[in-house]
Amino acid sequence: MLSPPFSRSRGRFGVVGVLALALLASGCTVANSEYVTGGGAGGLRIVLPQEPPTLEACQSSLTATGVVIRSNITEPLVERDADSGELRPKLATAWEQTSDETWTFTLREGVTFTDGTPFDAAAAAFTIDRAVNSDLGCEVEGYVFGDTDLDVEVVNDTTLAVSTPEPDPILPLRLSFVEMVSTRTSATEKVRVPIGTGPYRVADWQAGQRLSLESNPSYWGDAPAYQNVNYVWRAEGSVRAAMVTNGEADIATSLAPEDGAGELAVAYRNNETTALRMQSDEPPLDDLRIRQAVNYVIDRNTLVRSLFENLATPAGELIPEGIVGYNPDERVWPYDPSRAKQLVDDARADGVPVDTEIRLIGRTAQFPRIEETIEVIQNELEKIGLNVKIQMMDTSTQLTYQIRPFPEDTGPYLLMIMHGNQAGDAAFTLDQYMLAEGYQSSWGTAEFDSLIDAAEALKGDDRQAAFEKLWPYEQEKVVQYAYIAHMSAILAKSASVSYQPDSATGDEMRLAEMSPVS
Amino acid sequence: MTGFLRRRAFTSLLPLIAVLLGVFFLARLTGDPANLYLPVSATPEQRQQFIERNGLDDPVWAQMWDYLGGVLRLDFGESLRTGESAATMALRAFPATLQLAFSTMLIAVVGAVVIGSWAAYRPNSLADRISGFLSMTAASVPDFWFAVIGVWVFAVGLGWLPTSGVTGGMASWVLPVATLVIRPLGVLTQVVRGAMVSALSAPYVRLARSKGAGDLRVVTHHSLRNAAAPALTVAGDLMVGLINGAVVVETIFGWPGIGKLMIDSILGRDFAVLQACVLLTAVSIFVLNILIDIGYALLDARVREKVPA
């Protein structure tokens, strides 16, 4: 009566045995996989915040993709020096403007792709057609070329002519974003793994776990110092930092000051600038005085000192030093709360509805301590008599407010943005953020538009001088933005690796510049 | 038993369909993927091309029929992020989650039986009170806190364990499993202790004792079986929670499981992958519940008798 009718062993099997069997049955692939750490003999280990969604070369303007492939697996015709902004030869050895609309490139000889096909003018033409003129919907097409199609002509094996419908003084710079791929690449579909000419090629990609590169034995240039490179990804900044301090990784990127990398942390300028964009088509933000008041009441020095730990500098324009068009005599709005309050009071006296609720929109995790930054700004705006409500959004939701077409009937809002001009020329910023109808611009003036257009058509010193004048003009006549700070980034680097990050590192981390400390 | 299974399968089908449709519509409320997948400078034409290419311009009902038709053909669509089949991505990630969940549960069950029995054997003793306090604490502290503290103490401070990963051998399992096991261990210990206290005072145990059965034999052979049924039910619920909720731990430790894939898909508005993940999880929870019912029936004759063959 006390014994159940089924056997005792089956009874236990029901609880523990099922679990144990299921554990075995689920396949110990994870537990058993051998991890070639790549450390020690000739290997380098890098931890990134996220897995690249794809390594398709024409998606290289995506940060997560570009940081792995650009100049590592694939290479462009010319590359931009991150410090000087000058263009340097890569797969092209020389280039010149041969007519108003045409640039002619002389290509490097003796270069082959890792699948054995030669790199020549036909391959370059194939790549440009595929990335810019096709229906693939490549990231680089929209990011760099807008809706402009290029006319590509193979003159001979080592000469390529590229023409634009309108004269384009910075075409070589734009082409520095097009990573060359083998002619065996599908022209009708995006591919996950590119075949390039770079110092590395993909050895093994275990989706979700790690990505391994090995050096390209037939590389045309100097062989890189590391034979193998392993990328892994961890979402938590503190874990990434700990991996370097713990000896599990050699380099960790995208860290915040509080992530704990300690003395292994390296801060570097990263071309990113934070700013509040003012949606100026609705009251009270359509009143110039209110927009000026917002500018006067942001205490940039205190933000930089206390929240950004001095890893940033107060900004008076949307691009930092090193970008063509940067104004070295940058004027930063002074912190003057009483002046700001006076401006708001004046506007109120004139019947401007200053009590209208204004949303202050931030993107979660856009930069370290964004929440605190937003709170400080809200507090200051409240003090001068504006009615400001904070709204934090995730990336996708925030982007609906950042890019056209903007949502309608949403009331006035201030939008925190962070802009990184990785192309090195102010035109990429001005077109999007400053033209009245720019994709990320809430308003502008016809006069400002014509000044921008005129500046962008110029070359050399004239171009620089014309761009420089645009920034003070924007501050005085347009005031769409309250610039906050030129930012810095932090990476953690093991003492055994020699590497000097530069302003392009966040988008293009060149493995060939890394070497073991001897 | 077959009739029981058939009925169980049928009653579970409705929630499954509800989950299927729910995630479809909820995912679409979260925003337009075009914003994430196109460069901010994309022209309206490029935007339109993207929307058409991915069928996002069809009415939502048409998209739903399309999706349901695909599900019937086991075609779950393609990932917007990677271009891979959504089903492949979900199935690839799932074993990692199962391994994590099953190893965690195995340790929790064994641990809870040992600690719970030990505590129940001498109710209200010091050992019982300590285990009670610790298991209550364990059951109520959030995962992420343990995860972060674990990394700081054992990986960074002491350097005994890797911070994260799955490919560093068994050592890389310690922190994720230890983080996950704490809550189920705490809850199960309490359940086992409660069930064992009443089992140990049951008349048949007293009878066994009077016949000269030793302490160990009384606990392992006479009381545990009767205590097992409630523990199994709770363990089943906890297991569902583990499969469903390893999200935080998987994200922190870079564990390539379904929880992490789900979070990535939500943030990436990768509807097809999200839907495949949710469906796979729902089906596995459904199967798990049936297994629990069967286990429960096998353990407890009274339940089995209520189940018409």
Side-chain angles (χ1 to χ4, degrees):
Chain A
M1 180 184 116
L2 293 176
S3 300
F6 52 92
S7 79
R8 282 168 187 175
S9 60
R10 264 181 79 200
R12 272 196 296 275
F13 182 83
V15 190
V16 180
V18 166
L19 291 175
L21 273 186
L23 175 60
L24 294 172
S26 66
C28 284
T29 50
V30 175
N32 290 339
S33 46
E34 279 295 313
Y35 181 32
V36 186
T37 62
L44 181 71
R45 301 158 301 168
I46 297 175
V47 53
L48 305 170
Q50 55 174 315
E51 181 173 10
T54 174
L55 294 179
E56 162 62 59
C58 81
Q59 298 291 90
S60 64
S61 333
L62 280 174
T63 304
T65 298
V67 76
V68 174
I69 71 166
R70 289 178 64 184
S71 291
N72 294 326
I73 302 171
T74 55
E75 297 171 315
L77 295 179
V78 296
E79 69 178 2
R80 179 180 165 272
D81 184 291
D83 293 326
S84 68
E86 301 280 312
L87 290 179
R88 295 190 302 214
K90 198 78 186 193
L91 290 177
T93 51
W95 52 96
E96 61 173 335
Q97 192 164 13
T98 41
S99 77
D100 278 354
E101 286 85 19
T102 304
W103 286 80
T104 300
F105 296 81
T106 306
L107 306 185
R108 193 176 293 279
E109 292 182 55
V111 176
T112 53
F113 290 97
T114 49
D115 66 353
T117 53
F119 167 76
D120 53 18
F126 168 81
T127 302
I128 295 172
D129 275 331
R130 180 179 184 272
V132 184
N133 296 340
S134 73
D135 293 329
L136 284 182
C138 288
E139 182 85 3
V140 72
E141 181 187 2
Y143 180 66
V144 184
F145 295 94
D147 42 14
T148 306
D149 273 359
L150 302 176
D151 184 24
V152 192
E153 186 198 347
V154 177
V155 180
N156 57 45
D157 275 0
T158 55
T159 312
L160 182 79
V162 183
S163 308
T164 46
E166 303 288 325
D168 185 350
I170 57 167
L171 184 68
L173 176 62
R174 291 187 204 274
L175 283 174
S176 74
F177 283 85
V178 179
E179 302 285 306
M180 296 293 141
V181 293
S182 158
T183 47
R184 289 192 200 155
T185 309
S186 167
T188 51
E189 282 179 17
K190 287 181 187 161
V191 297
R192 242 169 102 59
V193 176
I195 301 295
T197 57
Y200 289 92
R201 61 184 177 190
V202 176
D204 180 30
W205 186 0
Q206 292 190 11
Q209 291 184 45
R210 71 187 163 102
L211 168 67
S212 306
L213 307 187
E214 61 189 6
S215 66
N216 170 8
S218 57
Y219 185 54
W220 59 270
D222 294 336
Y226 291 100
Q227 279 293 306
N228 305 296
V229 179
N230 274 294
Y231 292 96
V232 293
W233 32 88
R234 300 287 181 264
E236 282 291 306
S238 57
V239 169
R240 287 196 299 281
M243 286 178 76
V244 175
T245 54
N246 202 29
E248 291 170 59
D250 299 309
I251 288 180
T253 62
S254 303
L255 301 180
E258 64 268 27
D259 282 335
E263 57 192 24
L264 299 181
V266 182
Y268 60 98
R269 207 162 51 78
N270 70 345
N271 277 352
E272 300 279 356
T273 301
T274 46
L276 275 186
R277 192 186 78 198
M278 300 185 246
Q279 203 70 9
S280 316
D281 50 1
E282 285 195 57
L285 293 174
D286 60 351
D287 190 286
L288 178 69
R289 288 167 296 188
I290 300 297
R291 299 200 300 279
Q292 289 172 331
V294 171
N295 260 301
Y296 277 124
V297 86
I298 294 177
D299 188 353
R300 297 163 179 84
N301 285 309
T302 303
L303 284 177
V304 163
R305 200 172 51 242
S306 59
L307 290 181
F308 303 160
E309 305 204 2
N310 283 326
L311 292 172
T313 49
E317 56 196 271
L318 200 48
I319 53 171
E321 197 179 348
I323 309 286
V324 173
Y326 170 77
N327 185 338
D329 306 318
E330 172 173 60
R331 194 199 103 178
V332 178
W333 287 79
Y335 175 58
D336 191 345
S338 52
R339 174 111 181 79
K341 185 151 190 336
Q342 188 61 49
L343 284 163
V344 173
D345 290 344
D346 291 351
R348 183 186 285 114
D350 287 349
V352 175
V354 296
D355 298 327
T356 312
E357 183 178 279
I358 301 171
R359 284 191 295 165
L360 174 54
I361 300 176
R363 181 197 296 182
T364 313
Q366 188 171 33
F367 53 83
R369 304 208 178 133
I370 181 169
E371 278 88 357
E372 290 88 339
T373 308
I374 293 270
E375 278 165 23
V376 167
I377 293 173
Q378 187 240 14
N379 195 355
E380 296 276 17
L381 291 170
E382 290 273 345
K383 279 192 211 155
I384 58 166
L386 295 175
N387 174 13
V388 179
K389 189 181 108 188
I390 293 177
Q391 202 172 3
M392 295 303 292
M393 298 178 173
D394 76 349
T395 305
S396 177
T397 319
Q398 190 263 2
L399 281 175
T400 61
Y401 287 85
Q402 188 168 334
I403 55 185
R404 286 180 185 272
F406 304 128
E408 286 173 15
D409 304 324
T410 53
Y413 58 90
L414 300 163
L415 184 81
M416 179 67 80
I417 60 161
M418 183 161 78
H419 169 54
N421 183 325
Q422 305 307 346
D425 188 284
F428 293 94
T429 301
L430 296 165
D431 284 356
Q432 291 183 40
Y433 290 85
M434 299 291 166
L435 287 175
E437 294 294 321
Y439 295 123
Q440 306 198 54
S441 169
S442 72
W443 89 297
T445 63
E447 191 187 354
F448 194 40
D449 280 4
S450 60
L451 288 174
I452 292 171
D453 288 340
E456 287 183 1
L458 300 171
K459 280 194 274 189
D461 292 345
D462 294 343
R463 185 180 183 86
Q464 173 66 28
F467 278 151
E468 279 181 24
K469 291 190 191 122
L470 295 176
W471 301 111
Y473 181 95
E474 202 279 331
Q475 284 198 12
E476 283 156 29
K477 303 277 176 61
V478 187
V479 200
Q480 183 187 181
Y481 293 94
Y483 308 109
I484 296 175
H486 302 304
M487 309 294 276
S488 287
I490 298 177
L491 61 73
K493 183 177 74 63
S494 142
S496 65
V497 176
S498 161
Y499 174 57
Q500 183 56 52
D502 58 36
S503 61
T505 294
D507 298 276
E508 181 173 345
M509 195 159 56
R510 293 174 194 154
L511 300 171
E513 293 176 1
M514 302 177 187
S515 59
V517 173
S518 49
Chain B
M1 202 63 154
T2 1
F4 162 74
L5 283 181
R6 204 179 307 129
R7 245 194 346 270
R8 196 74 176 72
F10 185 72
T11 50
S12 303
L13 207 59
L14 288 178
L16 213 55
I17 292 173
V19 165
L20 206 67
L21 294 180
V23 70
F24 180 87
F25 287 108
L26 285 177
R28 273 150 187 80
L29 288 181
T30 61
D32 181 358
N35 287 333
L36 277 180
Y37 288 96
L38 292 175
V40 281
S41 57
T43 60
E45 293 78 41
Q46 287 171 331
R47 203 164 284 274
Q48 191 55 34
Q49 267 179 18
F50 174 88
I51 288 171
E52 283 170 19
R53 198 166 52 230
N54 292 293
L56 297 169
D57 54 339
D58 295 335
V60 101
W61 290 106
Q63 290 184 43
M64 186 197 74
W65 282 120
D66 215 31
Y67 167 60
L68 290 181
V71 169
L72 288 178
R73 295 190 310 274
L74 295 181
D75 170 9
F76 294 86
E78 278 179 6
S79 161
L80 283 176
R81 273 191 314 149
T82 67
E84 275 187 287
S85 140
T88 309
M89 288 175 70
L91 286 171
R92 190 171 55 215
F94 202 40
T97 297
L98 284 184
Q99 284 174 287
L100 198 58
F102 277 120
S103 9
T104 301
M105 212 55 216
L106 185 61
I107 293 169
V109 166
V110 173
V113 165
V114 172
I115 301 172
S117 306
W118 175 56
Y121 193 65
R122 299 234 184 283
N124 298 320
S125 65
L126 184 62
D128 185 26
R129 284 184 203 168
I130 292 174
S131 91
F133 172 75
L134 288 180
S135 58
M136 283 291 280
T137 312
S140 43
V141 176
D143 284 355
F144 67 86
W145 190 82
F146 274 122
V148 172
I149 295 296
V151 168
W152 275 107
V153 174
F154 295 103
V156 179
L158 300 170
W160 292 349
L161 296 167
T163 53
S164 55
V166 285
T167 42
M170 287 315 280
S172 62
W173 285 64
V174 176
L175 280 177
V177 170
T179 304
L180 275 179
V181 84
I182 284 168
R183 201 180 118 72
L185 181 61
V187 173
L188 273 178
T189 301
Q190 303 241 344
V191 173
V192 170
R193 182 204 168 269
M196 284 295 282
V197 165
S198 43
L200 282 169
S201 61
Y204 67 87
V205 172
R206 288 204 300 275
L207 177 69
R209 275 192 205 282
S210 67
K211 285 183 172 176
D215 286 351
L216 191 63
R217 189 171 172 79
V218 164
V219 171
T220 55
H221 282 71
H222 295 276
S223 311
L224 256 182
R225 184 190 310 286
N226 284 307
L232 183 69
T233 315
V234 176
D237 284 346
L238 289 168
M239 187 72 194
V240 168
L242 280 179
I243 291 182
N244 221 0
V247 171
V248 172
V249 167
E250 287 185 2
T251 303
I252 290 180
F253 292 106
W255 197 271
I258 202 135
K260 184 165 189 306
L261 186 60
M262 256 188 232
I263 287 290
D264 291 348
S265 311
I266 292 170
L267 293 177
R269 302 298 186 271
D270 206 345
F271 298 153
V273 180
L274 177 62
Q275 285 158 191
C277 289
V278 171
L279 187 61
L280 185 59
T281 315
V283 168
S284 61
I285 287 172
F286 160 65
V287 171
L288 192 68
N289 275 324
I290 288 189
L291 287 178
I292 293 165
D293 285 346
I294 295 173
Y296 199 58
L298 289 177
L299 276 175
D300 193 330
R302 286 164 299 185
V303 176
R304 195 168 59 254
E305 277 151 17
K306 283 182 205 152
V307 178

